[in-house]
Amino acid sequence: MNRSSRMILIEKLVTENVVASQEQLLRLMEGAGMKCTQATLSRDLRLLGISRGFDRAGNMRYLTQSKRDADAIVMPGREQDAILSMLWARGLLMIKTHPGYAAAVASRIDRSGRFEVAGTVAGDDTILLIPRDDVSTIAVSDCLETIFPGLMERILR
Amino acid sequence: MNRSSRMILIEKLVTENVVASQEQLLRLMEGAGMKCTQATLSRDLRLLGISRGFDRAGNMRYLTQSKRDADAIVMPGREQDAILSMLWARGLLMIKTHPGYAAAVASRIDRSGRFEVAGTVAGDDTILLIPRDDVSTIAVSDCLETIFPGLMERILR
DNA sequence: TTAAAAAATGTATAATTTTGCACCACGAAT
DNA sequence: ATTCGTGGTGCAAAATTATACATTTTTTAA
């Protein structure tokens, strides 16, 4: 039972139930066969962007943000898992990542010291990878596969 | 000093400041010449539907109902107003913005999901827009005009 | 592989928020 | 004027959530 599967369960439980406290959520989780501590829950909820608010009647309950905003905060697991898609354009490779993680992934690429990569520029959720002159797209792809094993299969489906 | 005027002040302080705790809000209120206890604040916040949530960075702050689902960060005026100039170079479009607004404008472009745009990378006041292969500069301009109505006229003026 | 670094987690505790209770202020009804 | 009822508030305790620290697990680099 890892963090990301736990977070999926948390999101599900919070949306399908009226959850008023982390203790209560803890019990729901146990009922679903997933065990952890309240402290972990507190941390996961922050990552998920799920916070305690009030419903119309003024009763307290945990509320999720829109899915997009939640995605904006979550980045479970390894750096390469932050990569969402890649696209060649104008001889450059655009790499989209989970929001906020472009710098981390770009740093990883830079540190690999691969010849094929002249350099990278990272924004918030986008990396622009500039290949050296006369390096093929295939060569760059192979290079990235070396840095992030399993990446190509995951991205291409 | 009655409850309703206090609540008006609370709403104002919470929207105009990054408030992370009721204690902090209490001090802001005192600064504004309105005094009460933290317990009263807790009750008022419930009535106002203002609760503690997380901004994009995962930092805690109080958010009003309308803001909770939306962006925690306020962008004054229309995003396109932040665009100062544009210039084509090497098949790429450099967009200059007011300092600090590149990310917001780039985000807007990304979210438009337009085919013509392969991606963007934003710094502080500069955006590099990479069009897809075989997309003309005219097509990209039209695309931006669609996203930011009136932009071209204003820029070319 | 193996060592080093980074991330995840539990424990205990600190920080923060909520609430029960008593009391006060104010208006309506007697 | 007195009494009753309705909010509103502070105080302090209870409930809840966040976090510092130590430890374990996972990932990265050599």
Side-chain angles (χ1 to χ4, degrees):
Chain A
M1 293 305 156
N2 58 16
R3 163 168 266 181
S4 59
S5 61
R6 187 180 58 236
M7 297 204 321
I8 291 169
L9 175 60
I10 289 173
E11 175 134 27
K12 176 173 146 67
L13 290 176
V14 166
T15 51
E16 294 179 358
N17 301 274
V18 175
V19 180
S21 75
Q22 294 178 9
E23 288 292 342
Q24 184 189 339
L25 178 55
L26 209 51
R27 288 191 292 275
L28 286 173
M29 305 259 309
E30 282 174 7
M34 179 95 56
K35 196 171 289 191
C36 66
T37 62
Q38 172 268 322
T40 294
L41 234 37
S42 173
R43 295 172 182 125
D44 287 350
L45 288 168
R46 157 176 298 210
L47 290 173
L48 286 164
I50 295 174
S51 59
R52 209 153 66 141
F54 307 106
D55 62 18
R56 281 164 190 253
N59 298 312
M60 247 175 333
R61 71 171 289 184
Y62 275 87
L63 299 166
T64 61
Q65 292 178 326
S66 73
K67 189 161 182 3
R68 178 168 171 30
D69 286 340
D71 281 348
I73 297 168
V74 182
M75 212 296 271
R78 303 164 301 168
E79 280 165 358
Q80 61 168 294
D81 292 337
I83 298 179
L84 297 175
S85 67
M86 303 194 296
L87 173 68
W88 283 95
R90 313 272 159 165
L92 307 173
L93 180 61
M94 305 286 320
I95 303 174
K96 298 290 288 184
T97 69
H98 278 292
Y101 289 92
V105 175
S107 164
R108 185 84 174 66
I109 295 171
D110 289 343
R111 277 179 292 132
S112 76
R114 296 294 304 229
F115 171 82
E116 295 89 334
V117 179
T120 63
V121 187
D124 181 68
D125 63 358
T126 304
I127 299 165
L128 182 62
L129 185 156
I130 295 92
R132 279 190 191 253
D133 289 338
D134 304 319
V135 169
S136 69
T137 61
I138 300 289
V140 173
S141 294
D142 288 351
C143 173
L144 289 175
E145 176 67 22
T146 303
I147 301 173
F148 303 118
L151 174 66
M152 290 308 160
E153 188 183 11
R154 190 167 61 72
I155 295 299
L156 302 178
R157 162 172 318 280
Chain B
M1 294 305 154
N2 57 17
R3 165 166 272 184
S4 62
S5 61
R6 188 179 58 234
M7 291 194 358
I8 291 169
L9 176 60
I10 290 173
E11 175 132 29
K12 176 172 146 67
L13 291 175
V14 166
T15 49
E16 293 179 359
N17 301 275
V18 175
V19 181
S21 75
Q22 295 179 9
E23 286 292 342
Q24 184 188 341
L25 179 53
L26 209 51
R27 289 191 291 276
L28 286 173
M29 306 259 311
E30 283 174 6
M34 180 94 57
K35 197 170 288 192
C36 65
T37 62
Q38 171 269 321
T40 294
L41 235 37
S42 174
R43 295 173 181 122
D44 288 350
L45 288 169
R46 156 175 297 208
L47 291 174
L48 286 165
I50 295 174
S51 61
R52 212 153 64 139
F54 307 105
D55 65 16
R56 267 172 194 259
N59 298 313
M60 252 177 327
R61 77 172 282 186
Y62 274 89
L63 298 167
T64 59
Q65 212 99 69
S66 57
K67 292 251 176 75
R68 177 146 341 96
D69 295 321
D71 224 349
I73 298 159
V74 184
M75 170 84 175
R78 295 175 307 166
E79 282 158 358
Q80 59 170 297
D81 293 337
I83 297 178
L84 296 176
S85 66
M86 303 193 296
L87 175 67
W88 284 95
R90 310 263 167 164
L92 309 175
L93 180 60
M94 306 285 322
I95 303 173
K96 297 291 289 185
T97 70
H98 279 295
Y101 287 93
V105 174
S107 165
R108 182 82 179 70
I109 295 170
D110 288 344
R111 277 180 289 133
S112 76
R114 295 295 304 229
F115 171 82
E116 294 87 338
V117 180
T120 64
V121 189
D124 181 68
D125 63 359
T126 303
I127 299 165
L128 182 61
L129 185 157
I130 295 89
R132 280 190 191 251
D133 289 337
D134 303 320
V135 170
S136 69
T137 61
I138 300 290
V140 173
S141 295
D142 288 351
C143 174
L144 289 175
E145 176 67 22
T146 302
I147 301 173
F148 304 117
L151 173 67
M152 289 310 158
E153 187 184 12
R154 190 166 62 72
I155 295 297
L156 302 177
R157 193 191 40 78

